Amino acid sequence: MSAIAPSVPVVRTARNAVFTAFAINGAAFAAFASRVPDLKHQLGLTAGELGLTLLALSLGAVIGLPLSGWFVHRFGAGRSTLGAAAVQSLSLVGVGLAVTAMESRALAMAALVLVGVGTGVFDVSMNLEGAAVERLLGRSIMPHFHAAFSAGTVVSALVGAGLSFLHVSVLAHLVGVAVLLLAVTPWFLRAFLPREVEDDPTDETRDPAAGGRGRAGLGAAWREPRTLLIGVVVFAAAFTEGTANDWIGVALSDGYDLPRWAGVLGFAVFLTAMTAGRVLGTRLLDARGRVPVLRVLFVAAVAGSLLVVFGGPVLAFVGAAVWGVGASLGFPVGMSAAADEPRRAAARMSVVSTIGYTAFLAGPPLLGFLGDHVGVLRSLLVVGAMAGLAVAALPAVREADRR
């Protein structure tokens, strides 16, 4: 039996809480990402070694994703988010200790695995809460939640650039982020939806791992050509976005002999542009359709990456902005395309999400290995190949009939 729908003020309050969850999770992610150039310098890593180090973060996220379904099913989105925030906070402090106090790459990688686990569980928990809020509101709002995540990354990256410029240690920075995360999370969790509303069995957007759907539906989704092609688009979009997240700061500082804080500023430019694209792009999608808009955006991502690689130290910042706009909508549109048919949305979104996160796992070491041979800046040319792959698969994201 379906739970009684909560009042409109309760849903709106939950909506605001989800906005906060996305923003604070984005801020925590960007706090570490903004100090990657400092980590590379402090530990004396080559590009390839840095790529393998960052792989630990992706590995932890991949571990956390399947665990998150069980956690949310067992404890609810609120408690799962709180537990994830605790793991994320403590492990961020561990990264700071490993880099600043111990200068140990092995310990940094161990801590990054735990950061990834906490981030993965936090990510799935807040997305499931967001899906429940979206269902109760009766209109699309998920892209705006992801824009809140991007906004959190922008603010955090700017703070990181400033702290890097002032030579504030990685440890002091990440301890401050951990304290903020632990202080804010219990506050916004009080406004999450009641557990019985989250568990409404009529909700077609629930994750199969959380007990909402059987295995047969998930297995069938892996055999659907359209779902797999949407996964290709999301894979390319995730790679395009993730490459900039992990490497644009290092590429600008190493490739153009800029100060590390300037590289972080380039990362912040990318994030600002991507946030703007997510906030403003919904109207374009409604007016022009998914395929034409994404075709233009993937071409923009290629153009932006080329400006970063060949444009020189000034045009590279322009390129970072163009790249950010180009990377803004591929991932959320892929999620929407997977959910076009509500009856099969959960299984298809699970498949597409798994394919997409593979890009986050494969991207850092691939770019690192290429960077060892051709330089970090030139390795960014791989973005063009990935965008071409996405453009070839774009017809799959065309709006499908809802039934």
Side-chain angles (χ1 to χ4, degrees), residues 59-248:
L59 178 61
V62 170
I63 293 171
L65 286 170
L67 290 176
S68 61
W70 183 87
F71 279 124
V72 175
H73 177 63
R74 179 70 177 82
F75 302 109
R79 290 183 179 180
S80 299
T81 303
L82 182 60
V87 172
Q88 199 174 4
S89 300
L90 293 176
S91 51
L92 281 172
V93 174
V95 172
L97 287 170
V99 172
T100 302
M102 303 176 184
E103 296 188 358
S104 169
R105 180 189 173 202
L107 291 177
M109 291 180 70
L112 283 174
V113 170
L114 293 177
V115 171
V117 171
T119 301
V121 175
F122 198 122
D123 185 82
V124 171
S125 299
M126 71 184 185
N127 271 284
L128 288 173
E129 180 73 10
V133 169
E134 186 175 58
R135 169 173 54 82
L136 292 168
L137 287 173
R139 59 185 175 84
S140 177
I141 195 172
M142 191 66 76
H144 291 166
F145 289 148
H146 285 272
F149 179 92
S150 298
T153 63
V154 169
V155 174
S156 185
L158 290 172
V159 171
L163 294 178
S164 179
F165 174 74
L166 295 173
H167 302 291
V168 175
S169 72
V170 175
L171 175 59
H173 182 188
L174 296 185
V175 166
V177 172
V179 170
L180 177 65
L181 186 60
L182 287 176
V184 172
T185 301
W187 172 73
F188 70 72
L189 285 181
R190 295 180 298 177
F192 268 28
L193 294 168
R195 177 71 189 276
E196 60 270 18
V197 176
E198 293 174 359
D199 290 342
D200 184 354
T202 66
D203 180 5
E204 296 289 350
T205 64
R206 292 178 65 198
D207 192 321
R213 292 289 174 266
R215 294 182 179 178
L218 183 59
W222 277 104
R223 298 190 294 272
E224 295 173 346
R226 178 177 182 263
T227 300
L228 295 178
L229 286 172
I230 293 171
V232 170
V233 175
V234 172
F235 179 92
F239 188 92
T240 301
E241 177 183 342
T243 296
N245 286 336
D246 290 334
W247 288 103
I248 198 168

